[in-house]
Amino acid sequence: MSKSLKFAAVALLACALCAPALAQQKADAKSGPRYHIGRAPTADEIRGWDIDVRPDGQGLPEGKGTVAQGEKLFMDNCSSCHGEFGEGNGRWPVLAGGKGSLTSDNPVKTVGSYWPYASTVFDYVRHAMPYGNAESFSVDEYYALVAYVLYLNDVVTDQNFELTNKNLATIKMPNEQGFVMDDRATSEKSFWQKDPCMKDCIAPVKITARAAVIDVTPEDGKDGKPRGVE
């Protein structure tokens, strides 16, 4: 075999060996950068992870639970942080109360005073609670827990009330209409500039005191309670 024929044969063999790798690189280029770390999740894994619930109730699993059932679960698993009546323990979040405080100097953002949709209470509680052991309850137990939290906030008033996937999205929260769309793209457009100021700009802000020196902590009310807390 001549030298030219040997070279051609070697070149063809090299191309054949490299073809799969080149095809893979081409496929990767189409789908974006890939780092070949981990593996694709299974359908069961995705199903277990995809548990979000939307404001209109989409995603709610079938289930039910009563206020009374939720009270026992709450006392056993939640009250050490949130208090028996959702009043909060120490610096742990307050869940109930705060009605009418959102326009005060010290608004209290609880489920009853602030949260817009009852269905997303279920979503949050199932994703995050009990603290440190999230998603450890059954679906029925989460319905019961949410029913009790709604009861603490007077959103439902019957201890025998049964919360289900059929009625949860129909419950209206007190502050549902208290939210507005973010319009900063238009209302604050005048503050945005394409190019930063580089010449004859305003004088830098002069710091006259620091929070550690001046008194920035709200004073307690005349009755000794923190402001804004019922």
Side-chain angles (χ1 to χ4, degrees), residues 91-138:
R91 300 182 68 86
W92 291 97
V94 179
L95 299 182
K99 185 178 180 180
S101 69
L102 296 184
T103 57
S104 70
D105 294 337
N106 190 14
V108 182
K109 296 181 179 179
T110 69
V111 172
S113 71
Y114 184 71
W115 208 285
Y117 304 108
S119 58
T120 57
V121 178
F122 182 95
D123 179 84
Y124 177 78
V125 172
R126 186 164 62 148
H127 270 103
M129 297 293 145
Y131 182 71
N133 197 21
E135 300 182 35
S136 59
F137 289 167
S138 68

Side-chain angles (χ1 to χ4, degrees), residues 203-215:
V205 175
K206 183 179 181 181
I207 298 175
T208 59
R210 298 184 181 279
V213 178
I214 61 176
D215 182 10

Side-chain angles (χ1 to χ4, degrees), residues 128-206:
M129 297 293 145
Y131 182 71
N133 197 21
E135 300 182 35
S136 59
F137 289 167
S138 68
V139 168
D140 286 351
E141 288 174 325
Y142 278 114
Y143 274 107
L145 261 184
V146 173
Y148 184 66
V149 172
L150 296 177
Y151 179 78
L152 288 176
N153 284 279
D154 296 325
V155 176
V156 298
T157 56
D158 183 356
Q159 283 187 314
N160 296 316
F161 176 79
E162 183 178 74
L163 191 66
T164 74
N165 57 301
K166 302 293 184 184
N167 62 16
L168 178 50
T170 67
I171 295 174
K172 297 296 182 184
M173 300 299 284
N175 194 42
E176 180 176 340
Q177 302 303 320
F179 291 80
V180 296
M181 294 297 292
D182 185 351
D183 65 346
R184 285 173 293 180
T186 55
S187 63
E188 299 183 6
K189 188 176 181 180
S190 60
F191 296 105
W192 301 351
Q193 299 181 35
K194 183 178 179 181
D195 300 316
C197 178
M198 303 298 290
K199 182 180 179 183
D200 299 329
C201 304
I202 61 174
V205 175
K206 183 179 181 181

Side-chain angles (χ1 to χ4, degrees), residues 39-51:
R39 60 172 174 78
T42 66
D44 285 341
E45 287 171 337
I46 293 176
R47 193 176 302 112
W49 183 51
D50 184 17
I51 60 171

